[in-house]
Amino acid sequence: MARPTEVLLTDETIRQRVAQMAAEIRRDCPGDLHLVAVLKGAFVFLSDLVRRMDGAVSLDFLAVSSYAKGTSSSGEVRLLKDLDIALEDRDVVIVEDIVDTGLTLAYLQEILRARSPKSLRTACLLSKPSRRQVRVPVEYIGFEIEDRFVVGYGLDYAEQYRNLPYIGVVGERGAAG
Ligand code: IMP
Ligand code: MG
């Protein structure tokens, strides 16, 4: 697949929205906050988000695989890397790049809720509401976008383009379906 053909969200647009999201999360969770980022796609979002927060914040990472390769979901979610830190009695926010079908987040929320956090919320930079297959609560959404496959700012196509500072579109409309 060629380089992105279109810029959907510029780095400046993303920067402003991420700062707002950090403030929203901080308003809801003013005390000790524990962010759980989903590798690899959320690494850029997390790094910008966390630097916009003051006060006590701890971080942990997990990795899942839902897309074997390419742009179509297999619908299967596997935990590839588990957390290092227990969630019990913590105010936890899952930090994810994008909610598409919702299958990944539904799975993650179920397994993390079973670990007895004090609270569990979810922050996603992007959402494709038209693609949702399962209902999943996402308290903080950066941008709702159409059903187009996007890359950059951490998001990949076949492990490429994560380094782009903006979010761009590759391929045609509906390519993710
Ligand atoms: P879901 O389980 O279908 O909600 O898929 C969530 C995961 O699919 C995200 O964490 C991404 O890794 C990946 N994904 C979904 N849509 C896109 C996209 O447009 N670009 C890049 N990755 C995507
Ligand atoms: Mg992801």
Side-chain angles (χ1 to χ4, degrees):
M1 205 178 277
R3 286 187 67 81
T5 48
E6 187 186 324
V7 177
L8 193 65
L9 299 165
T10 66
D11 46 358
E12 178 58 20
T13 301
I14 299 168
R15 193 186 67 74
Q16 288 178 12
R17 182 68 188 120
V18 170
Q20 289 172 346
M21 292 177 83
E24 286 171 32
I25 294 168
R26 251 317 178 203
R27 207 175 304 131
D28 296 343
C29 307
D32 288 9
L33 180 60
H34 189 62
L35 301 181
V36 166
V38 184
L39 295 171
K40 301 171 199 167
F43 84 102
V44 179
F45 177 38
L46 173 79
S47 104
D48 282 348
L49 189 70
V50 75
R51 284 179 294 169
R52 290 290 182 163
M53 290 176 167
D54 47 18
V57 180
S58 52
L59 302 180
D60 206 352
F61 298 89
L62 53 73
V64 289
S65 144
S66 49
Y67 287 35
K69 56 178 181 303
T71 61
S72 285
S73 173
S74 59
E76 224 174 85
V77 184
R78 273 192 311 140
L79 191 61
L80 300 180
K81 181 214 175 292
D82 205 342
L83 298 171
D84 295 332
I85 303 167
L87 300 185
E88 204 169 342
D89 294 327
R90 291 178 192 274
D91 288 311
V92 175
V93 177
I94 301 171
V95 178
E96 171 64 309
D97 52 4
I98 184 166
V99 52
D100 184 35
T101 64
L103 292 165
T104 304
L105 275 177
Y107 168 81
L108 284 179
Q109 289 178 359
E110 185 186 329
I111 65 164
L112 298 187
R113 200 170 286 118
R115 300 178 187 190
S116 309
K118 194 195 295 171
S119 64
L120 182 66
R121 294 182 175 87
T122 302
C124 276
L125 182 69
L126 304 174
S127 172
K128 292 183 195 169
S130 68
R131 294 261 305 162
R132 209 73 89 246
Q133 287 177 23
V134 289
R135 280 170 64 104
V136 65
V138 181
E139 287 77 8
Y140 312 100
I141 290 176
F143 304 93
E144 292 199 338
I145 62 170
E146 283 181 56
D147 177 15
R148 304 180 76 186
F149 200 81
V150 292
V151 297
Y153 198 76
L155 290 115
D156 75 309
Y157 172 76
E159 295 299 331
Q160 293 300 308
Y161 311 120
R162 295 192 195 276
N163 54 316
L164 297 176
Y166 59 91
I167 290 176
V169 178
V170 285
E172 298 303 312
R173 274 168 198 277

